[in-house]
Amino acid sequence: MANSKGYVTRLVTVECSYGTTFNYLNVETDHGVIWYGLDEEGNVSEERPLMNANDHKGDVNILCFGRCKSPSNKVFGGDRDFHIGSLMDALGSAIGACEGYKCTPYCSRSWAQVVNNVLLDGAPAITSDSNVTCYYGGEIKVKIQTEEESGENQ
């Protein structure tokens, strides 16, 4: 979940409109700004670096979303995640047109809908309203969790 100001930190849950599952954002080196989560007694319970608009690299900042269901993902010979057996795997490899390509996020552009007046290492901060588009057309954005998903009602 994004922190109380809406700024996005490492380990925030994100999803892709063409992915089959969600994943988490990651950052190799922090940008010098850390968000501190507090427990009920006011003690620091977690520390997470804030992320900026340049944190959009596939397999570094943005990780795999399971299978890619984008109609524009027609990579012949790409990694596929088949669930219907080796016969279909062989057929899919032969014709190169089966759904189920392994998601390999590729985002050549920076995050959009950013906070331009808050810079982290010279790049705008990203918030829970930010998004980035994958080469295959998927929109990647922060997954807004319901109270049930976050465990607040348990």
Side-chain angles (χ1 to χ4, degrees):
M1 205 168 171
N3 63 40
S4 60
K5 298 287 186 191
Y7 295 112
V8 170
T9 63
R10 179 179 180 267
L11 299 179
V12 164
T13 306
V14 289
E15 60 188 347
C16 175
S17 58
Y18 286 127
T20 58
T21 189
F22 64 89
N23 214 323
Y24 304 94
L25 288 179
N26 194 21
V27 63
E28 287 183 301
T29 305
D30 71 65
H31 304 295
V33 180
I34 305 294
W35 171 79
Y36 294 97
L38 302 178
D39 63 19
E40 293 176 6
E41 290 82 37
N43 300 314
V44 174
S45 61
E46 60 182 319
E47 302 175 11
R48 296 184 186 183
L50 268 64
M51 306 207 41
N52 74 23
N54 292 334
D55 294 325
H56 61 87
K57 296 172 191 75
D59 293 331
V60 174
N61 308 118
I62 300 172
L63 307 175
C64 175
F65 295 104
R67 294 181 296 135
C68 178
K69 299 188 301 182
S70 170
S72 66
N73 188 347
K74 304 283 187 200
V75 179
F76 182 77
D79 293 331
R80 295 179 179 83
D81 186 6
F82 287 97
H83 296 283
I84 42 182
S86 58
L87 177 61
M88 291 306 293
D89 190 357
L91 177 62
S93 295
I95 63 173
C98 286
E99 281 191 4
Y101 294 99
K102 180 182 176 201
C103 169
T104 305
Y106 176 68
C107 304
S108 60
R109 295 190 178 159
S110 298
W111 288 82
Q113 306 298 322
V114 295
V115 183
N116 288 313
N117 62 346
V118 176
L119 301 180
L120 306 171
D121 269 352
I126 58 177
T127 69
S128 55
D129 294 329
S130 300
N131 62 68
V132 64
T133 303
C134 177
Y135 173 79
Y136 297 109
E139 181 184 12
I140 299 167
K141 58 185 179 177
V142 173
K143 180 178 179 357
I144 305 300
Q145 294 181 330
T146 65
E147 288 182 13
E148 286 178 359
E149 290 174 326
S150 65
E152 294 174 8
N153 279 345
Q154 296 178 2

